[in-house]
Each structure stands twice: as C-alpha cells, then as structure tokens.
Amino acid sequence: MQTAVGKDRRFCNRFLLFVFKKMQVMRKIAVFCSLLLAWSFTVAQVTDDFEDFAPQTSFDSFQQNMEQRFANYQDSINRRFAKELERQWVEYERFDGETRTQKPKPSHLPVAPLQKQHTSDELPAGTIHEPTPVEPDVVAPSESAVPVPDNSQLTESALVTLAPLSFFSQQLTCVCPRQYVDLQLKDLTEKSISTFWKSLSCAGLEQFVQQCRSQQQQLQLNDWGLFELVKSYSQQIFGGRYAEQTVFTVFILNQLEYNVRIGRVDNQLVCLIPSLCKIYAVSYMKGESSLLYVFSLYPTPSHEGSIFTYTFRFPKAKSSFDLNIRKPLLLADESAEKVFSAKFCGEKISLPVNQSIIRFYDNYPQVDLLIYANAEPDLQWVRRIEKELGPALEGKSEYEKVSLLLSFLHKSFLYKTDNEQFGREKFFFCEENFYYDGNDCEDRSVLFSFLVRKLVGLDVILLDYPDHIATAVHFNDDSVAGDYYLCQGKKFVVCDPTYVGASVGETMPQFKNVKPVLIPLSK
C-alpha cells in the first residue's frame, strides 16, 4: 500500500513540475508578445511622425545622394588606375596562336561498302575528356527583366542619345555621356592613354554601364556577345578612330568587372582578353596568372612585334571570358532570305536559318569542339527541327530513330573541307550546317549529337581521332550490336555521320585500332 501511495506522489510531483515549466514558457512568450506589440505601436507612431515631418522627396534625395557617392567612388577608382597607367609599360613576348588540328581532313567523303561486315567489338579508347567545371567569375544575370536605366536625374547636358545601333540587325537605343563624343587620344603613350582613361570616367558612366548589362541580358548574350556589343558602341561613338575604340572597349569591360587589358603592338593598341578555355589561331602573351589573347579592332591588325602592357589589373576586374553559349541568342529574326531544303523519310522539309545569328557565329573565336556541341541553338530553329523531323520518328525504336537521323546526315549535306570553303579552319555551330553549302566531319558530328539528344533523348559522346571526328550513342537497349566504346561505365555504340552509308555500329576501317579521345556531352 505504501508503495502505491509513493508512486502516486512521485507522479503528482512530476506532473506539477511539468505544468510549472510550461507556465514559465508561456509567461516568456506573453512577455515577448507584449514587447513586440509595444514596439509595433512605437514604429507606427514614428513612421506617422516621419511622414508628417519629412516631405516625400526625402527618399529621392537620399537615393540621389547615394548614387552620387557611388559615382564619386567609381571616379576615384578610375583616377587612381589612370595614375598607374602613366607608369612605363612592360614588354612581353608575343606567341603565335595554336593550331587546332594537325592533320588535313580527307578531301573526299568516305563511303561505306555495300557488303556489310557486322562486328560488335569493344574498341580501344584513349583518354576521356572531362573538363573540370569552372564557374564564371561574373555573377549570372537574373532571370527577371532588367529595367532600362533611369537617366531622369541627370542633367540634359550630361547625356546624348545617339542614332539607333544596328547590332546584328537588332536595333538598340544608345544613351551615352555627351563628353565621349568629343574625346580624342593625343598619341599612344602611357600618359596620353592615362588622360583619356580619366576623361572616360564622367557623369553618365554608371548609366551607360547599366545599359550595356541590361541589353546583354535582354539579348541573352554570353561574354563574347557582350564584347561585341561594347565594341559596336565604341565604333558608333568614335568612328574610325581605332585607338580610342580600343581604350574605350577595355575601359567599359573593366567597369563590367572583366580583367581585360590594353596592349600596344607596334603602332596599334589591342585588347588583351583572358579566357576560361583555350582559343586557337589567335596570338597571345603569358600573363602573371593566365594567357591573354590579342584581339585587335583595327581593320588591318599588326601580326608582329612584342606586346607592351601593364602588370596590374583594374580593381574588382577579376573575370575571364566564358565562351560557352549557355542560353539561346535572342537577336533580330532574319530567317526569310535563305532556306535549307532536303528530304527526311521521303518527305521534303524546309528549315529557315536566322542570318543574324549566322553573322554572330561568323567571327566567333575558334575554341574546343565541346563548346560548339553544347551550345544552345536558336529557339525558333529548334522548334522547326522538332516540327519537321519529329513526326517521322514517332512510334519507332531508339535504334530506328538513330538510324534515320544518321541516314539524314549522310544524304542531305555536301562534303566540303574548311579550307575549300573558307580558306581557314572553322567549326560549325548547329544552325550553320543549314546555311553554308557544305560541311565536314566535326560539323556533322556536332549536328548529329544535338539531334540525337534532342529528338531521341539519348546520351552521346564525340570521338576525337587525330584527323577525324565521329560520334557514339548510348542506347537503353543493350542488345544494339556494333563497334562500341566504354565511357563512364556506359556502352556507346559508334555512329559516324561522315561515313556515308554506314549503319549504326560501323567504324571506318582505318580507325579500328586508333585510340580517340572520348568527349562526353551534356544532355
């Protein structure tokens, strides 16, 4: 009996202790709520008092004051940097641009024999090209629309509206500081460039920089597109004065936080551009931490001589160029003049190509094949591809779909080497295959890899041989026969869009024992 009473007493004690602790917690919450309520009334009263006391323009004045202080801060940075530019520049050795391919491509299109010798061999693969992902230094633009800079607070005399700029047929409005129109570079000495730099830092600079960034986002331009945009503005403002164009282009890119420099070669100024990827066929110098590629705005660039430049960088300008095209370009639509026509599964198809984008690609730097294969194509062109090719693939197996696309590449395009067509090495982005008269192995491989990933949804790798490019496809059906490579634990069956008449799994005989570099592509 005593034991039962003791248990009841202990239970009651624990229950009372629990209730007491809960009451303490509730008391604290009540005190906090009381304080919060009192604070809210206080804030409301202060707000009412402030609204009664201060005119509505107080915030506008505060904003203008902050903008002016920021402008002064930017001006002080540019003035200090201009002072550094007066110091004697250092001489650097200039290196010739590297060649992307060492061996010439076949002059004639290879044709597969009619009598097939079906094999299903694992072929010897070389290294797997898996570039380390490098995050661009520049902050990615927001997905939301960027407002046009508000120039209403500047005096009318500070800004001037130039004639509309035709940027790859896209009409853009340019408002720039009025002071820019009359600026001239006395000569190419360090002191003259320093003086010109200081003059560029003036009222309206921040609005112009915001304008460039806003237009970059609206057109979905990558870093190279932004360079083209600033370069176009430099041509509009300074006409045929290429030295002024160069200093202006570097100046604006520095304000946009790109680590670009001015260089002097012979009697010309050049833009020295760092890149996250290798650029071919462009001369370069070895900077303190990276290669700097030489890009000239002159119509006849100097290709000889050392490079003179400074060893320091503009404050906060840390970004290198990222030449990947991660978003479709939104340039003016000029698709009516040239239309690609061919047959697919017996039906005639027509594909217009946006010539504005073709012109943008025409002067694109030569880069690694991976960038071309992973580039986001024109949205309208993609929709037409889906409309023209998609229906014929419906209801078919993966093998049948890939075979049809492979046959389309074999039969619809003329084979022409780059030297034959352009007199220089040129890789195609997808859309360019439907614009020019012919293409070669790497161009067909880039296009075929895109079609398979987009229309069939299968993984593709590029096969980079010493003098040839092909592709291989990973089928969900492991029974698909043919020559194959193992890459990242998956079986990729050879599909060569240049080997006319070859079926899925058929390799050119001369490459059976050659180890290619395997290049995985994004999905």
Side-chain angles (χ1 to χ4, degrees):
M1 180 65 104
Q2 290 180 353
T3 303
V5 171
K7 288 183 177 179
D8 290 341
R9 185 175 297 166
R10 286 195 297 273
F11 173 79
C12 290
N13 290 339
R14 286 198 296 270
F15 178 78
L16 291 173
L17 181 62
F18 171 79
V19 171
F20 178 73
K21 289 182 176 179
K22 285 294 182 182
M23 290 177 65
Q24 285 184 315
V25 171
M26 294 300 294
R27 183 181 178 185
K28 290 178 180 179
I29 292 175
V31 171
F32 174 78
C33 290
S34 299
L35 292 173
L36 183 62
L37 187 61
W39 177 80
S40 65
F41 280 121
T42 303
V43 170
Q45 184 62 44
V46 169
T47 303
D48 292 339
D49 292 345
F50 178 77
E51 289 178 349
D52 292 338
F53 175 78
Q56 183 62 36
T57 56
S58 294
F59 179 76
D60 295 335
S61 300
F62 170 77
Q63 184 181 22
Q64 292 177 32
N65 180 260
M66 292 302 295
E67 290 175 351
Q68 184 59 49
R69 291 178 65 182
F70 180 77
N72 293 340
Y73 169 69
Q74 287 290 97
D75 183 65
S76 66
I77 290 177
N78 281 302
R79 288 185 178 278
R80 289 198 300 270
F81 185 76
K83 188 68 176 176
E84 294 295 318
L85 288 176
E86 292 184 6
R87 293 159 47 188
Q88 186 172 4
W89 292 3
V90 179
E91 183 177 8
Y92 288 84
E93 183 179 359
R94 178 173 177 170
F95 297 89
D96 292 334
E98 296 185 25
T99 303
R100 187 167 44 192
T101 55
Q102 302 298 328
K103 295 183 179 181
K105 300 183 182 75
S107 57
H108 300 287
L109 191 66
V111 178
L114 294 177
Q115 295 293 103
K116 306 292 184 183
Q117 294 183 351
H118 293 286
T119 63
S120 192
D121 300 327
E122 179 184 347
L123 302 180
T127 58
I128 298 177
H129 179 72
E130 296 182 293
T132 304
V134 180
E135 292 297 328
D137 295 320
V138 177
V139 178
S142 170
E143 294 295 334
S144 59
V146 179
V148 177
D150 181 11
N151 301 315
S152 60
Q153 302 301 328
L154 292 174
T155 61
E156 184 178 347
S157 60
L159 295 172
V160 60
T161 300
L162 303 179
L165 172 68
S166 180
F167 180 71
F168 296 100
S169 300
Q170 184 75 37
Q171 298 302 306
L172 300 176
T173 300
C174 174
V175 178
C176 78
R178 184 177 295 276
Q179 183 173 327
Y180 288 176
V181 178
D182 299 321
L183 284 180
Q184 290 189 358
L185 193 60
K186 183 179 179 181
D187 51 45
L188 303 187
T189 62
E190 289 86 341
K191 185 169 182 57
S192 181
I193 293 172
S194 170
T195 301
F196 190 82
W197 189 284
K198 282 186 288 188
S199 299
L200 289 172
S201 182
C202 61
L205 168 61
E206 183 62 24
Q207 284 70 23
F208 183 83
V209 172
Q210 290 178 14
Q211 176 180 255
C212 292
R213 181 65 80 191
S214 173
Q215 291 170 343
Q216 179 196 19
Q217 295 183 31
Q218 291 166 6
L219 302 179
Q220 296 192 163
L221 304 175
N222 68 345
D223 291 349
W224 183 258
L226 180 60
F227 172 64
E228 290 280 9
L229 178 64
V230 176
K231 188 172 69 172
S232 296
Y233 278 135
S234 76
Q235 294 166 352
Q236 187 183 35
I237 295 170
F238 298 102
R241 292 176 285 151
Y242 303 107
E244 284 88 342
Q245 288 184 29
T246 303
V247 179
F248 172 82
T249 299
V250 174
F251 175 84
I252 296 299
L253 289 172
N254 277 181
Q255 313 306 309
L256 291 164
E257 301 185 2
Y258 289 90
N259 186 22
V260 183
R261 295 189 204 173
I262 306 167
R264 186 172 57 238
V265 179
D266 291 338
N267 198 34
Q268 294 182 358
L269 297 182
V270 295
C271 301
L272 301 175
I273 297 178
S275 172
L276 296 177
C277 69
K278 181 179 288 187
I279 298 177
Y280 299 90
V282 175
S283 61
Y284 62 91
M285 58 163 274
K286 296 179 179 179
E288 292 71 35
S289 58
S290 64
L291 301 182
L292 296 173
Y293 293 93
V294 181
F295 287 93
S296 176
L297 306 188
Y298 290 75
T300 308
S302 173
H303 294 287
E304 297 180 356
S306 301
I307 300 171
F308 289 84
T309 187
Y310 38 94
T311 59
F312 44 90
R313 64 172 179 81
F314 186 78
K316 297 194 301 182
K318 300 177 182 179
S319 301
S320 298
F321 273 31
D322 180 3
L323 295 181
N324 285 284
I325 300 179
R326 305 182 190 277
K327 293 183 178 182
L329 298 169
L330 299 181
L331 299 177
D333 185 9
E334 285 190 337
S335 302
E337 294 185 24
K338 185 165 185 178
V339 177
F340 171 87
S341 296
K343 285 188 176 182
F344 183 67
C345 295
E347 298 292 331
K348 185 176 180 180
I349 63 171
S350 296
L351 289 165
V353 181
N354 190 343
Q355 294 182 101
S356 298
I357 293 178
I358 296 298
R359 291 201 303 276
F360 179 86
Y361 290 152
D362 188 49
N363 292 319
Y364 209 80
Q366 295 183 28
V367 288
D368 286 323
L369 191 60
L370 186 64
I371 290 180
Y372 297 87
N374 282 336
E376 286 292 334
D378 175 33
L379 281 175
Q380 293 188 26
W381 178 82
V382 172
R383 293 190 185 105
R384 286 298 298 267
I385 282 284
E386 292 174 326
K387 178 182 177 181
E388 298 287 349
L389 305 187
L393 302 177
E394 290 181 1
K396 294 182 171 55
S397 67
E398 291 177 351
Y399 177 84
E400 290 172 328
K401 291 177 181 178
V402 173
S403 295
L404 288 173
L405 293 175
L406 194 60
S407 177
F408 175 65
L409 266 294
H410 290 162
K411 297 177 180 178
S412 300
F413 301 90
L414 295 175
Y415 179 81
K416 284 189 177 183
T417 64
D418 293 333
N419 282 332
E420 180 183 359
Q421 195 166 194
F422 304 104
R424 59 184 172 90
E425 183 72 15
K426 176 176 170 57
F427 282 7
F428 282 177
F429 291 95
C430 279
E431 303 98 303
E432 292 181 284
N433 287 280
F434 295 87
Y435 182 80
Y436 294 106
D437 294 335
N439 55 20
D440 58 13
C441 60
E442 73 270 359
D443 308 322
R444 295 176 179 224
S445 295
V446 165
L447 176 59
F448 177 74
S449 68
F450 169 78
L451 294 177
V452 171
R453 286 177 292 164
K454 185 67 178 179
L455 300 178
V456 191
L458 299 179
D459 290 342
V460 183
I461 61 174
L462 298 177
L463 308 176
D464 188 359
Y465 298 99
D467 57 349
H468 181 58
I469 302 291
T471 64
V473 177
H474 171 65
F475 292 89
N476 291 315
D477 182 2
D478 195 53
S479 66
V480 174
D483 298 334
Y484 66 92
Y485 294 91
L486 289 179
C487 179
Q488 298 175 335
K490 295 181 179 180
K491 173 184 173 182
F492 286 82
V493 181
V494 173
C495 298
D496 194 331
T498 309
Y499 195 21
V500 174
S503 58
V504 171
E506 191 171 359
T507 310
M508 286 190 196
Q510 63 267 40
F511 296 114
K512 279 272 192 177
N513 297 313
V514 177
K515 295 181 178 181
V517 176
L518 307 184
I519 307 176
L521 302 179
S522 62
K523 295 183 180 181

